[in-house]
């Protein structure tokens, strides 16, 4: 029987264990989320983060700046949060309006408060095998692999997608767990063939059902990071789920797989940043 990995349940357990740890502290770890402009999807994400953070006992605040905010104004806001002792974690919601360079905003966040793990210092630490803040979605995937009792040491892992946010840090985490890692992408010569070699297949391409069932090795673990909104409003992953299901040993559904882990790991990063800053 294929194991369907219940990300919603794993995320709920992680959030309640964080809440229990926070209840023991003499302070509330602080999370600041900065949103610029009116991207509707960002509005939903930011509200969900704020609610989850408050429920778990964080001091959460959202700073919503107008679309007309200049890059200099955003950097000044980030500098103020860097200097604020009550703020342990800063997240600048992406995408930003086109006139603001996201790399400038990311680089402006104090690496010790960079709970997205996007700052080049944290990306460099991860690539060097040093401790630092790790991007939330790949961190969530590692929790799900642990939940599914994946044997990582020596396993062949194939990550499809090379983004800064998921693919690259995902590959680094799997390498750190002693997998033999391949990063495949849109220019990979034989993508189905690369996928068929995978004991652990992580799909993070952002194209609905691009990974077909016959690309999945019998007994592989399949982690689907894709969240693709279809014209009918439904969500689809990057993996053709029904096709892959009978072949996989374990698989994450969409929705209810990786998605719920991202916010839980944001909270985990914020608690970690808060404890490290006070150590
Ligand atoms: N927009 C979509 N996902 C993310 C994320 O993980 N972090 C940030 N900052 N913005 C996002």
């Amino acid at each position: 029987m294929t194991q369907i990995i219940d990300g919603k349940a794993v995320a709920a357990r992680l959030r309640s264990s964080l809440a229990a740890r926070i209840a023991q502290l003499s302070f509330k770890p602080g999370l600041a989320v900065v949103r610029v402009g009116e991207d509707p999807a960002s509005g939903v994400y930011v509200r969900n983060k704020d609610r989850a953070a408050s429920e778990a006992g964080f001091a959460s605040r959202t700073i919503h700046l107008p679309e007309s905010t200049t890059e200099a104004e955003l950097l000044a806001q980030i500098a103020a949060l860097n200097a604020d002792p009550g703020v342990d974690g800063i997240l600048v919601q992406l995408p930003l309006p086109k006139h603001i360079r996201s790399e400038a905003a990311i680089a402006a966040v104090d690496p010790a408060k960079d709970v997205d793990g996007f700052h080049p210092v944290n990306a460099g630490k991860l690539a060097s095998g040093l401790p630092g803040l790790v991007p939330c979605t790949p961190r969530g995937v590692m929790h799900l692999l642990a939940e599914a009792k994946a044997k990582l040491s020596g396993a062949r892992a194939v990550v499809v997608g090379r983004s800064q946010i998921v693919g690259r840090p995902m590959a680094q985490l799997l390498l750190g767990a002693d997998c033999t890692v391949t990063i495949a992408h849109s220019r990979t010569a034989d993508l189905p063939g690369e996928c068929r070699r995978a004991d652990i297949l992580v799909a993070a391409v952002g194209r609905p059902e691009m990974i077909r069932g016959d690309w999945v090795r019998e007994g592989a673990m399949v982690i689907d990071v894709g969240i693709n909104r279809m014209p009918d409003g439904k969500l689809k992953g990057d993996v053709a789920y029904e096709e892959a299901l009978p072949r996989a040993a374990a698989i994450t559904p969409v929705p209810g797989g990786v998605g719920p882990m991202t916010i839980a790991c944001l909270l985990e990063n914020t608690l970690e940043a808060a404890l490290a800053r006070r150590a």
Side-chain angles (χ1 to χ4, degrees):
M1 264 298 278
T2 303
Q3 180 189 358
I4 295 168
I5 305 170
D6 185 349
K8 223 172 140 181
V10 179
R13 282 204 297 278
L14 178 53
R15 283 189 274 110
S16 64
S17 85
L18 295 170
R21 287 170 65 195
I22 288 170
Q24 302 295 315
L25 298 175
S26 57
F27 66 96
K28 280 182 172 227
L31 172 64
V33 176
V34 182
R35 177 183 172 211
V36 186
E38 301 303 328
D39 179 70
S42 290
V44 176
Y45 289 137
V46 167
R47 273 195 298 282
N48 288 341
K49 285 171 193 172
D50 191 50
R51 177 159 26 91
S54 301
E55 279 174 13
F58 291 84
S60 174
R61 72 169 108 141
T62 299
I63 295 147
H64 188 184
L65 302 174
E67 178 81 23
S68 59
T69 303
T70 64
E71 186 176 295
E73 286 167 341
L74 174 60
L75 298 189
Q77 175 62 253
I78 294 169
L81 294 170
N82 285 342
D84 185 335
V87 173
D88 296 292
I90 302 168
L91 180 144
V92 181
Q93 183 66 31
L94 303 176
L96 289 168
K98 286 192 180 52
H99 62 275
I100 300 178
R101 293 168 304 147
S102 50
E103 63 278 14
I106 288 166
V109 175
D110 177 349
K113 297 188 177 188
D114 168 38
V115 286
D116 254 332
F118 294 167
H119 192 286
V121 163
N122 284 317
K125 284 182 173 172
L126 181 58
S128 307
L130 297 171
L133 288 163
V134 171
C136 305
T137 299
R139 187 171 188 171
V141 171
M142 296 307 283
H143 281 299
L144 294 180
L145 288 170
E147 170 75 16
K149 302 198 165 44
K151 285 194 182 53
L152 297 179
S153 181
R156 277 186 229 270
V158 175
V159 179
V160 189
R162 54 177 156 176
S163 70
Q164 304 290 114
I165 294 179
V166 183
R168 286 167 202 247
M170 187 74 252
Q172 294 294 350
L173 287 173
L174 291 164
L175 184 60
D178 299 325
C179 292
T180 301
V181 181
T182 300
I183 307 178
H185 48 77
S186 55
R187 301 292 174 91
T188 293
D190 176 16
L191 187 54
E194 295 296 344
C195 291
R196 281 184 200 115
R197 271 190 281 282
D199 302 309
I200 314 263
L201 180 59
V202 181
V205 276
R207 285 168 184 252
E209 301 192 330
M210 190 180 109
I211 312 282
R212 308 312 308 185
D214 67 346
W215 301 15
V216 173
R217 216 172 62 77
E218 288 285 345
M221 293 222 172
V222 180
I223 306 287
D224 191 346
V225 180
I227 301 179
N228 305 289
R229 178 81 58 187
M230 305 308 285
D232 65 1
K234 292 209 174 99
L235 295 179
K236 271 203 196 304
D238 291 347
V239 177
Y241 181 81
E242 294 300 332
E243 292 175 17
L245 186 63
R247 298 171 69 102
I251 189 166
T252 58
V254 176
V258 175
M261 294 303 294
T262 299
I263 289 179
C265 290
L266 170 69
L267 303 183
E268 190 177 34
N269 276 351
T270 304
L271 176 56
E272 214 163 77
L275 296 174
R277 275 178 8 93
R278 287 167 177 79

